[in-house]
Amino acid sequence: MPSRRQPNFELLRIVAMFMIIALHYLVKGNVAAPYSESRSMVNYAAWFAEAFCIVAVNCYVLLSGYFLVESEWRPGKVISLLAQILFYSLLVPAAMLCIGMISWRELDLYDWIGFLFPIGTEHYWFATAYLGLYLFAPLLAAGVRKMEKKTLQLVIALLLLFFSAEKTVLPVLIATDRYGYDYGWFLCLFLIAAYLRLYGWRWLEEKRHGLCLYVGMCVCIFAVSAAAGLLGDRVEAFSYYAEMPYTYNYLPCLLGAVGLFGVFRKITIREGRWAGLIRRVAPYTFGVYLLHEHILIRYEWMNWLRVDAVRGSLLFLPHMLWCICVVFSAGILTDFVRAWLFEKGKKLYREKRK
């Protein structure tokens, strides 16, 4: 493992977080409304933008698997991750209570259980799934390194058949399908990333191939969804396909993520100011997610930034870019302060132990 973070992969981490904010803006802000509610060109444009951002979560997990397969597993990382999650789950309600944005009467016992136990209650579904992945990472990494290439290929193929291919082709709701919102899918992504790290994919060695795969799969996602939206009124089975392509374990979504990952894998960023800035910012991106996806904020920040003013208009595009920059900047600054406080706390703890 290199001693310094590779700026091309760190840039992908930043881009992926921009995409995640865009996903929340479009769906939770009701900018991308169900086709049954709107078939306007603006709504199609919103779903088209959604298609190009839906690969973000898979990219984020692929990044982790790519490096975890050959890095040392650290139990301290688990503690650090839990501390970071608890910082946000508890700080946000405390801060909102202090400045009067909410009152004690608005929070019940169940709310506080969610704040105190964010992993078990899936306050942040991604954090819960990612923690499960990290706990399994040393076992997966050891198994992958001892496994023959063909065996690993077979395991990945069978897992994809169960997690992805089956739900992609069948126009019915599968009982075991959690749309990629669980650590089971993350384990599958880990193995795919590990395979790319250990053996590569010759076809993906050219950036243009990765770009074509990413663009092609995103267009496919939009096309299938739009067609299903049009046919859903006539044949009920097709209504399932209207939103199903926008799930993380949908096969084109996976392939699109692999394509985008391949593009950034081959990007070269020269050492200098930009590489340093990327390395500086990227470690705080998880804090962006934890801040704007807190249960007390995840549906409110759209109101604070007046998403309703551009809903139904193509003005949502520049407004979305502005909102992404605001949310991203607020999250980076907050997590920078969090990291500074944690570092100060560690120093005080070390000094007391001496």
Side-chain angles (χ1 to χ4, degrees), residues 13 63 93 104 113 127 150 222 237 252 341-342:
R13 200 182 304 276
L63 281 167
W104 287 97
I113 291 175
K150 288 185 178 180
F222 171 74
L341 290 173
F342 277 24

Side-chain angles (χ1 to χ4, degrees), residues 82 84-93 107-125 127-128 290 293-296 298:
L82 286 172
Q84 185 179 8
I85 296 167
L86 281 170
F87 176 84
Y88 284 95
S89 66
L90 293 173
L91 175 69
V92 170
L107 301 176
D108 56 24
L109 178 61
Y110 183 79
D111 291 322
W112 286 105
I113 291 175
F115 301 151
L116 289 167
F117 303 97
I119 300 298
T121 59
E122 282 198 328
H123 184 134
Y124 302 102
W125 77 265
T128 301
L290 293 175
E293 265 296 281
H294 193 282
I295 191 67
L296 297 179
R298 67 178 58 156

